[in-house]
Amino acid sequence: MVQLLQGAALPVAVCAGSLCARWGSSHGGHKSGQYQRSHGPNWRHALAGLLAGTGAVLAYGLHHSQTEQAATTIVQPIAPASSLPIYTQDEVTKHRSVEEGVWVTYKGSVYDITEFVSMHPGGDKILLAAGGALEPFWALYAVHSQGHVLEILSEYKVGELSAEDRRKQQSVKSTDPYSTDPERHPALRINSLKPFNAEPPPEILSDNYITPSAIFFKRNHLPVPQVDPKSYRLQVEGVSGGAPLSLSLEELKTRFPKHTVTATLQCAGNRRSEMNKVKQVKGLNWGIAAISNATWSGARLKDVLLAAGYRPEVAQQTSHVQFEGLDSDVTGTTYGASIPLNKAVSEEGDVLLAYQMNGEDLPADHGYPVRVVVPGTVGARNVKWLGKIIVSDEESSSHWQQNDYKGFSPATDWDTVDFKSAPAIQELPVQSAITQPAEGAVVERSAEEVTVKGYAWSGGGREVVRVDVSLDGGRTWQVAQLQSSEKGQVPAPSPPPGRAWAWKLWELTAPLPPAAQELEIVCKAVDNSYNMQPDSVAPIWNLRGVLSNAWHRVKVTVKEDEEEQKLL
Amino acid sequence: MVQLLQGAALPVAVCAGSLCARWGSSHGGHKSGQYQRSHGPNWRHALAGLLAGTGAVLAYGLHHSQTEQAATTIVQPIAPASSLPIYTQDEVTKHRSVEEGVWVTYKGSVYDITEFVSMHPGGDKILLAAGGALEPFWALYAVHSQGHVLEILSEYKVGELSAEDRRKQQSVKSTDPYSTDPERHPALRINSLKPFNAEPPPEILSDNYITPSAIFFKRNHLPVPQVDPKSYRLQVEGVSGGAPLSLSLEELKTRFPKHTVTATLQCAGNRRSEMNKVKQVKGLNWGIAAISNATWSGARLKDVLLAAGYRPEVAQQTSHVQFEGLDSDVTGTTYGASIPLNKAVSEEGDVLLAYQMNGEDLPADHGYPVRVVVPGTVGARNVKWLGKIIVSDEESSSHWQQNDYKGFSPATDWDTVDFKSAPAIQELPVQSAITQPAEGAVVERSAEEVTVKGYAWSGGGREVVRVDVSLDGGRTWQVAQLQSSEKGQVPAPSPPPGRAWAWKLWELTAPLPPAAQELEIVCKAVDNSYNMQPDSVAPIWNLRGVLSNAWHRVKVTVKEDEEEQKLL
């Protein structure tokens, strides 16, 4: 089993692709101290910088989670050391295993990274680069383009690539798989640039009941694929008694009734930053806005499965419907996820193969030309750039279904976690957060009242029926007004039971408590199964930082008017 | 609008029948102080005893909630005052309204209770007795057989009933409607005798995965009706396009496939006693054992509705299925409830018209001969002694559906509550509790470890996937072992998604924390929608004391061994 660095925060913002697929599950095998024996003296310094204790690691993680835009700056090539031997590509290619040695090239230099393999934070996926160039792999995750990563690499330099092979490498355009990613709205707060992950500012989020597509939170696991709508085919396989089906975009649009659903999507990691304040977790440092609400139109998954030969009477209760995206890493591994068959085929499940978002073609970041929309279910199962649907007795074998997006006890750490012991997240628990005022805002005493706004939503089609707001840290509560349409519009009729897919915005205007110099504003929502949000974060903390739905708290200062201040 | 006594705790243990139907909803109209103007001087003393402040009221409520067995002692008749006039029954009968005066008789005396009507804790249902005898009404709720109730009544005495009419009254046997209630198991802890409400001791509850029927918690709203299985008919009405259907017990058993489901039922008021510790609520003072698990067999409701002409294609999403029990009060008002039609007709809803519990005919207390079992749904909708099924666009109009069994904000009190503003409880939230050790138990230090046991369940078919247990008040946690069958038996296979109707028992054996003199044991469960229990009771407190599902906490003492104590 490959040994990994413990505690290294490198993948905080980037362990999202299959290159990191075994990060979580193989991590448990680590024995502390082992890495110290396996490298030379010069190594220690660079590694110590990486491992200089929690403080440094957290600072590093924080730096990265804020934005990775800096990572796009051009990396300086390492100066060649002419005393080292010259190798041909053929000689390098012979070193592709731990037994034969693991060699790689980078910008014309040759590196023997055999000893580093067991320490690679991304796991043994590093072997995919063995015998070849690092560039295409590093391009996939921008975290590698950091000065200290190059420092580490330089310790392993063993030679130079021959001039001829350098020329050959340079003639193969070193493509950035993210170079064709679409333009994004400048208002978005970027958590990771490659892959692109960003959320809108909270105060903008609650301005619209239907989130404009441009500021709808983006959560990509891989580069945005370029899909030609003319040649696009959706494959449907595995239907018991049926035959494989292949649909063009046009066929999907014309052979099946168009169905429209307004549904909120939420990332499993929404509000992860609050868990990070308790104790560092792995994952993008989302604020409260990895959640948005849109109107989706497309064919029902149920109708497509029926067309592929699905017959309800032969359905096995425990079956699953797997989805494969067209987004993939350099190894060709695509994004994948699955949902239970009963959700997929339920008349009331409203699962869509959506080709429109808010009345227009899906934007590139949201899965053009076709994505799955699984209302009430965690964002990760709403597979974008959908390429294939497979009915199966098994859940998706993907990293994201098996070894990610699951909840654990606060007692579970990376040494003890058993991903098989927890179910893949499907329906999400009840959630709410305050979008206004912002943390640290100042309220004027002369205003006499304060307006608090936010969103509330629950998974599984459970309707939010009440939001309680406290101005005093949870000691006393007031009931907020719920809003289930754009302001000023006639509210939508109450959804049928179990099909409340869209969030509610809420608002409370309350008198400023006399004498209070600080308000601790708290919100908590209740859904129609009367599930409540837990009071505090620490007891629901989990190593992946998912399912963060404790009461949301915002502290604001009450500023006395100058005249009053004079009197005091 | 009828005015009511505010703060009177009289109905704590008894306001469960329709005699109290308007208790909650009309209570908001009360203006404090009004009762003081409306009665004579002698009245004040008796009333003061009732209203002598929260302390007395709470003490009274507590006394009653523990057991009402004392209430079965025979009430002393009030001595006739010969100076008062003699009235005939005809004369009494003329006084049946506030305008004409409200007269009643009790044990041969005549009372003018006109002024008391507005103060009756049970609301204007008192008018049902106007012009007649109190006995049949008082018999229904044992709380009336209290000394101070007779004291209050005596203040209103205006005469004696004529000898002839007294003889007539006596010849009509003054029946106790509870006299035919069945025998009960002596282990049960009684919260109310009439109607019968009782729960098993917690340490017995978790001894069996399938709760023996005899100790399965009993929650009756009215006397247990005597139903002759030979003449029993189940009426089915309101099916759009169908015709009314009437089924004998035999037909129900033979015309429809027998379906068996293991399902946990829980009272909405389970663990209400913990809310009472925060602030007094209205309702039976349940401990943690108003929940039990049984195997139910019967016809599927879906099949019976199909037989009555139900066609899915004409179903309206917003329809309901109402149930009427055969249990009724003296006015003929029966117990009633409803569930959403989609739950009733869903292939996966598993709603039964059950005639067996744990392999035998339903016991009398559990609805013989037929009850509804709505898996995943609050006990109150699992109507016992089922008489009628009505498909309707409306929810049941019963008190229990409209003005009871709903959740509110902690900020909502009886002056501000609007029952229309909250949905009727259907699915219940995730729940767990510690059945062992008991509060205040002593653990020997020499035992070196402690075993904690309990139950966990969630509504809506959501499977409990994890129970976390803390020995230090919630600071650190350990994961308990889950049990989904009787101990030593092969565990049942995992239920299909959304159909986990049965609880899980759980157990954790952990080392005693060194040096701890007291353990605060806490449990919290997580279901497969990853809903969690809230941390504390106060923020979910509600005026009816329902939905009490905060972390359960038990304090135990660690007793040092004598030898060790000597060393200390």
Side-chain angles (χ1 to χ4, degrees), chain A residues 317-318 340 342 348 405-412 421-430 458 462 465-466 468 474 477-479 494 496-499 524 527-536 538-540 547 549 551, chain B residues 317-318 340 342 348 405-412 421-430 458 462 465-466 468 474 477-479 494 496-499 524 527-536 538-540 547 549 551:
Chain A
Q317 297 288 1
T318 53
N342 70 333
E348 300 175 349
Y405 296 129
K406 296 185 170 189
F408 294 95
S409 165
T412 301
S421 70
I425 299 171
Q426 297 284 351
E427 293 180 2
L428 286 171
V430 61
S458 187
R462 292 181 283 281
V465 297
R466 200 181 78 236
D468 294 330
W477 299 91
Q478 300 175 65
V479 178
S494 220
R499 294 167 80 178
K524 62 182 173 85
D527 70 23
N528 66 350
S529 294
Y530 285 101
N531 274 297
M532 326 269 178
Q533 296 177 244
D535 309 18
S536 53
I540 61 167
L547 305 156
N549 74 328
W551 300 354
Chain B
Q317 297 288 2
T318 53
N342 70 333
E348 301 175 348
Y405 296 130
K406 295 185 171 189
F408 295 95
S409 166
T412 301
S421 70
I425 299 171
Q426 297 284 350
E427 294 180 0
L428 286 171
V430 61
S458 187
R462 291 180 284 280
V465 296
R466 199 181 81 236
D468 295 329
W477 299 90
Q478 300 175 67
V479 179
S494 219
R499 294 167 80 179
K524 64 182 172 83
D527 70 23
N528 67 350
S529 294
Y530 284 100
N531 273 298
M532 326 270 179
Q533 296 176 244
D535 309 17
S536 54
I540 62 167
L547 306 156
N549 75 328
W551 299 355

Side-chain angles (χ1 to χ4, degrees), chain A residues 44-347:
Chain A
R44 285 206 180 104
H45 180 72
L47 204 56
L50 266 176
L51 298 168
T54 312
V57 169
L58 290 186
Y60 179 87
L62 190 63
H63 168 75
H64 271 267
S65 61
Q66 285 171 343
T67 166
E68 291 187 3
Q69 287 183 328
T72 57
T73 53
I74 293 156
V75 171
Q76 296 300 318
I78 299 162
S82 55
S83 63
L84 291 172
I86 307 290
Y87 294 106
T88 64
Q89 180 63 53
D90 283 351
E91 286 170 310
V92 172
T93 305
K94 285 174 189 161
H95 297 85
R96 304 181 67 168
S97 68
V98 174
E99 295 72 31
E100 303 288 324
V102 177
W103 288 17
V104 293
T105 67
Y106 184 74
K107 293 193 185 288
S109 296
V110 178
Y111 302 86
D112 176 358
I113 59 165
T114 315
E115 290 193 344
F116 180 70
V117 166
S118 65
M119 291 176 279
H120 180 233
D124 62 358
K125 287 279 177 179
I126 196 172
L127 292 175
L128 294 166
L134 281 177
E135 282 87 342
F137 294 86
W138 282 17
L140 203 67
Y141 297 108
V143 71
H144 290 97
S145 308
Q146 297 291 320
H148 57 256
V149 176
L150 293 177
E151 258 184 80
I152 293 170
L153 183 65
S154 67
E155 301 293 330
Y156 289 101
K157 186 160 173 179
V158 290
E160 302 294 338
L161 196 60
S162 71
E164 191 188 345
D165 285 323
R166 289 181 73 161
R167 273 194 302 276
K168 277 189 193 162
Q169 273 200 356
Q170 280 166 355
S171 71
V172 179
K173 194 171 163 262
S174 172
T175 55
D176 175 359
Y178 293 99
S179 62
T180 53
D181 266 21
E183 291 287 309
R184 277 92 181 203
H185 195 283
L188 289 169
R189 292 184 180 171
I190 298 168
N191 284 316
S192 154
L193 198 62
K194 299 179 179 184
F196 191 76
N197 288 285
E199 62 188 300
E203 62 274 22
I204 293 185
L205 180 64
S206 60
D207 275 351
N208 300 282
Y209 183 73
I210 302 292
T211 315
S213 304
I215 62 156
F216 195 105
F217 82 97
K218 324 282 179 208
R219 203 290 178 242
N220 298 343
H221 295 83
L222 293 160
V224 173
Q226 302 295 301
V227 184
D228 173 9
K230 292 198 180 67
S231 60
Y232 172 82
R233 306 296 297 185
L234 174 61
Q235 311 293 335
V236 187
E237 301 177 0
V239 176
S240 176
L245 183 68
S246 172
L247 295 167
S248 70
L249 183 58
E250 191 59 23
E251 287 170 329
L252 188 71
K253 289 182 176 178
T254 54
R255 277 184 56 182
F256 306 95
K258 183 176 172 182
H259 190 67
T260 296
V261 170
T262 297
T264 297
L265 297 188
Q266 182 182 215
C267 178
N270 189 31
R271 300 181 60 197
R272 178 178 285 131
S273 52
E274 293 161 66
M275 286 199 175
N276 269 328
K277 286 177 191 158
V278 173
K279 196 167 75 170
Q280 178 75 14
V281 299
K282 290 218 176 76
L284 294 161
N285 199 43
W286 292 110
I288 64 164
I291 182 170
S292 302
N293 188 46
T295 294
W296 310 92
S297 301
R300 284 187 209 242
L301 173 58
K302 181 183 199 293
D303 294 338
V304 171
L305 290 177
L306 286 170
Y310 169 75
R311 287 174 297 150
E313 58 276 18
V314 297
Q316 291 194 2
Q317 297 288 1
T318 53
S319 289
H320 305 269
V321 179
Q322 302 176 1
F323 306 114
E324 282 183 17
L326 295 168
D327 47 338
S328 64
D329 64 21
V330 284
T331 73
T333 304
T334 57
Y335 185 78
S338 63
I339 61 171
L341 179 65
N342 70 333
K343 169 72 177 173
V345 300
S346 164
E347 193 72 55

Side-chain angles (χ1 to χ4, degrees), chain B residues 278 316 357 479 552 567:
Chain B
V278 173
Q316 291 194 0
M357 178 183 188
V479 179
H552 188 227
L567 289 172

